[in-house]
Structures are given as structure tokens and as C-alpha cells.
Amino acid sequence: MEKKVLRQVGSCLLGRGSWDPCSFLWTGRSHMSTAPLVQEATSDVTSSSSVLPFHSIPSTGRNAWFNLFQFWRKNSLQRMHHVMEENFHQLGPIYRENLGTHSSVNIILPQDVARLFQSEGVFPRRMTIDAWATHREMRNHKYGVFLLNGESWRSDRIILNKEVLSMAGVKKFMPFLDEVSADFMSMIKQRLNKNTRGALTVDLYADLFRFTLEASSYVLYGQRLGLLEEHPNAESLRFISAVETMIKTTLPLLYYPHQLMRLLDSSVWNEHMKSWDIIFEQADRCIQNIYQEFCLGQERGYSGIMAELLLQGELPLDSIKANITELMAGGVDTTAMPLLFTLFELARNQSVQRELRDEICKAEAQNPKDLNQLLNLMPLLKGAIKETLRVSVQEQSACRNSQRAGTVSEVNLLSQTLVQVGLYPMGRSSHIFQDPLRYNPNRWMRRDDTNFKALAFGFGSRQCIGRRIAEAEMMLFLMHVSPEVQCGGGVWSQRAPGGRAHTEGSSLFLRLVSPGFRLFSFQLQTMVLG
């Protein structure tokens, strides 16, 4: 049975299957109204007699540690999105999950997300990553907005919003992202020119990871790391390695008790702590450089978000360092993986690729006054990014702690319950999206009801604070790459050793449109999604 499910999931990933994990939902019910979901959520249409108690919510199992053991035995931590998809299939649109130190209620329906949004109050709370919080306490660092709650969170968030989320702030840092995007294409061309065969095979994800780290560093710190150069310096390589290690070690520490990991002197815990130390050291160096520039008294222009916050003086230095560091650490993988999968989907959907290239060329021909106006002329490009975030695995869930008791899926939800929205199963449900396995950016350009369906960056006042940076970074990258690179692909399979089940995947080929038609390629296995 397990092998059959894996084959079905694999065929869906390759776009050849029609299996809908949520086909069991909404039988005999009609919730998918085009009326605004927030209005639906605020209307009291469910009588108290029909509301079920909290304990009636289906569960994956009461013994949290046995469940965690099963996860470890099946290596399920690396395929959490598939596990969540299977649980919705078996248990329905709402279920409880107990996993080690983690306990949550998982939901999938957009109207349930709307009800959750209405109940979050003035000070919404999200799941705390205890390993991050423990590092801050042990090293005497302040919390950033990712870890803060209550009035402290709100006061920091209001100040940061002006520089990070407001349109005025976005217009200031957008040229920095544009510069790094142009440099990425220059780097690729330089590599090709040095290759006598006129062809180049690259680890595209590694290059995209470097691109996003370079772009984020420039916007936040106002300094280039030099990661797109032929020979990056040792300090920059140490920093990128630390960010990679921090991301890799965070996942297991979400579910295992970090106190036990510390007592056992676990290598995962030690690597996690060391990586955060290196990331904070980078912030310290950048602050020192900014202060040195201030002391020189030279005329200055915009030099990044950190410099602006230091000049304004509205936040203490320790708070600025904590917030910028969290933004830096959280924003790298957020954009690298979606960019990779956007290129992959464009390779599989040649008509979309042509439409996107035409849109970019027409927008640039209008010669708008600034980059913001230019990007506003590219609705298909915005839709392509939204569509990638829908079909690929970036964040497995969006989380909130319910601030008060309420009704979700006709079940009484207790106050202070951690609620997770299953983003991957939602994006692949035919009851929420028409033809969900088809990559169709145009679905976001129609007047269809899309409320609470595009949740990759969260929702409400506690949505991802780096959202505008990530969106602008991805759009500008694709704006530079799409006119000059033609994406193509093909399906391949490989027999595993010992006669076991074969590995399926696809190859992504990128060819320069400019004279010479030189080629570089990257192989993408379905295991990347898992």
C-alpha cells in the first residue's frame, strides 16, 4: 500500500497523474462560494448544537513520542508535506497531530483559514522555534519579530514595516536587487565564455542559493559578499555554509526536545549553535562597517535597511541586529527554491515561457520611470511566482496560535491551540483549484475568488516580514533571465541498485538565446520535492 501511494505521488510530481489527495472533501457540501471568505467567516451560520467538541477532531495518534519514533523510522521528516497530504486524505479537512514536543491542529479549507484570521486578535502568535529562542538566551541576544510576541512584537514590527514592507521602502532597495540579478546573468555568461566546448553543467540550486544570499545581504546590510565572483573570499564562504547548516539543523530540532539534545552534546545541536554564532558575527561586522562610514562624514545615499534603521534610532542596536539577522537567515531558501522550480515549470510549459518572455520585452519597451512601475506591467510574471509557490514545496504550512476559542470546520477550537494550514495539500486539491496539477499562472490573473489561497508568505499582520524583498528578488531575477535563457526539459528514470524501485526525475536544460546557443543544464529529481 505504501509503495502504491508513493508511486501515485511520484506521478503527480511529474505531472502525469490525476490523483487528488483531497477528493474526499466537501461531499454533499458547497462551501466554495465566490463571496469574500472573511464575510463568510464572520457570519454566525453554525448553530451551537451542531458544533462538535475539540476531542472529536480526528487524530494521528495520542502518543507523541511513538509518533515521532515512527517518523524517524520511516524518514518522514524529509517528506512532511506528503505525510500531511496523506493525513488529510485519511482523516478529513481537520485533524490533530502530536509529534514529539509538537502538538497542532491541521486545516486545509480556505474558509477555515479565514475564520482563523478573524480570531487572531491584535497580537497574533505563531509557533515558536525553541532552538532559535534558546540560542538567543544563551548568547544574550535579543529576540527579533520572528520570536517576539505581544506588545514587543507589535512595536518592532511597526518600525520595520516602514523599511521592509511599505512601497516607499521597496522602491529604495529594489535597485540593489536589480543589480545583483544582472550580475547573475553576467556570471553565467563569463563561465560559458571560459569553456572551450561552449557548454557548461552547473549545480543550479547552489548558484541560486548564492544569488539569494548575495541579494539579501546587499539589501539588508548594504554590502556585497562577492558570492557571484569567480573566487569568493573565505569569510563569505564560511557565512554561506553557516546559513545552510542553520536551515538544515532547524527541522529536526522542531520536534526533538532541544534540552535533551544539549545534555547529550548532540552534533545537530552544536552545529546549530555554531552556525547562528557565525551569522551574528556577520551582523556585527556589518554594523561596525556602517558606523565607520558614518564617522567619515561623507555624503551618503541609501545603503540598505540596517543603515536606515541605525540612522532613524527608533530601535535599540541589539534589536536591529536581531531583526536583520532573522531576516537574513529566513529569506535565503525562501527564494532560492521557488526560483529553481519556476525555471523547471517553464521548461515543462513552453507556451507559458514564450508568453512570459513576450510580456517582459513589451514591458521594458515602454521604458517606465522606475522598477516598481516596470514590474507592475508584468502580471503574468507575478502569476508565475504565485503558481510556483502553489505547486511546489516551500513552506509546508502557515501557523497561528488561536487567540480565542472559535469554530473551525464545525469543530470547537480551544484558545491557544497551534493551528497549521496545509499549504501543499491545499495547492493540489481539485476542490480548491481547477485542474490543480496544471501549471497555469493565468489563474491568478482572472477574477476568480483567490482569498486565503495564496498563503506561502502567511496572512494578516503577522505575514512574512520579508515578503516584499522575496517577491521583488524573484521577479527581478526572472526579468533578467527569461529574455536571455530558453528553458527545456525531459523525463528520465534510473534503476536503483539491487533491483529496487527506480528513481524518477526530470532534467532541466537552459540555453542562452543570444548568439552561440550555448547550453548549461541541471538535473532535478523528484526527491528534491520529498
Side-chain angles (χ1 to χ4, degrees), residues 138-337:
M138 292 180 65
R139 299 295 192 261
N140 200 27
H141 292 308
K142 282 197 172 184
Y143 286 176
V145 290
F146 190 89
L147 297 172
L148 285 171
N149 287 299
E151 185 59 50
S152 299
W153 164 80
R154 187 169 183 269
S155 60
D156 277 22
R157 180 76 190 226
I158 289 172
I159 295 168
L160 290 169
N161 282 352
K162 292 185 290 186
E163 291 299 324
V164 182
L165 279 176
S166 73
M167 287 313 303
V170 172
K171 285 182 179 180
K172 288 190 287 186
F173 64 66
M174 205 175 281
F176 284 27
L177 298 175
D178 186 58
E179 178 185 326
V180 179
S181 298
D183 287 350
F184 180 86
M185 274 309 304
S186 298
M187 176 194 73
I188 294 296
K189 290 177 180 178
Q190 287 172 9
R191 287 187 189 176
L192 286 166
N193 289 331
K194 291 181 179 180
N195 192 300
T196 56
R197 294 181 294 106
L200 184 68
T201 300
V202 297
D203 182 351
L204 190 54
Y205 176 71
D207 284 332
L208 290 174
F209 194 89
R210 289 189 178 197
F211 160 75
T212 55
L213 193 58
E214 181 80 11
S216 298
S217 174
Y218 198 19
V219 166
L220 294 172
Y221 300 134
Q223 298 178 15
R224 296 289 297 264
L225 294 174
L227 293 172
L228 301 183
E229 297 174 2
E230 186 175 0
H231 301 291
N233 62 60
E235 191 174 274
S236 296
L237 293 176
R238 181 170 175 260
F239 179 60
I240 193 172
S241 177
V243 174
E244 289 175 326
T245 301
M246 183 277 298
I247 294 170
K248 180 184 70 176
T249 55
T250 292
L251 181 61
L253 292 173
L254 286 176
Y255 304 102
Y256 299 123
H258 63 277
Q259 300 93 334
L260 179 62
M261 304 289 272
R262 287 170 55 192
L263 288 173
L264 295 176
D265 199 27
S266 162
S267 60
V268 172
W269 175 256
N270 291 332
E271 288 176 6
H272 189 75
M273 292 290 286
K274 184 179 179 181
S275 63
W276 270 122
D277 290 341
I278 294 171
I279 294 169
F280 269 89
E281 287 171 8
Q282 174 70 12
D284 285 330
R285 283 193 295 270
C286 291
I287 289 173
Q288 291 172 8
N289 292 337
I290 291 170
Y291 272 125
Q292 288 175 1
E293 292 174 4
F294 288 168
C295 292
L296 293 175
Q298 297 176 346
E299 185 178 344
R300 60 174 297 276
Y302 180 78
S303 55
I305 292 171
M306 177 181 276
E308 292 297 299
L309 293 172
L310 289 170
L311 279 173
Q312 292 166 8
E314 296 183 74
L315 281 175
L317 178 60
D318 287 347
S319 294
I320 293 173
K321 181 169 71 172
N323 281 298
I324 293 297
T325 301
E326 288 180 8
L327 271 167
M328 184 74 197
V332 178
D333 209 42
T334 304
T335 49
M337 190 62 77

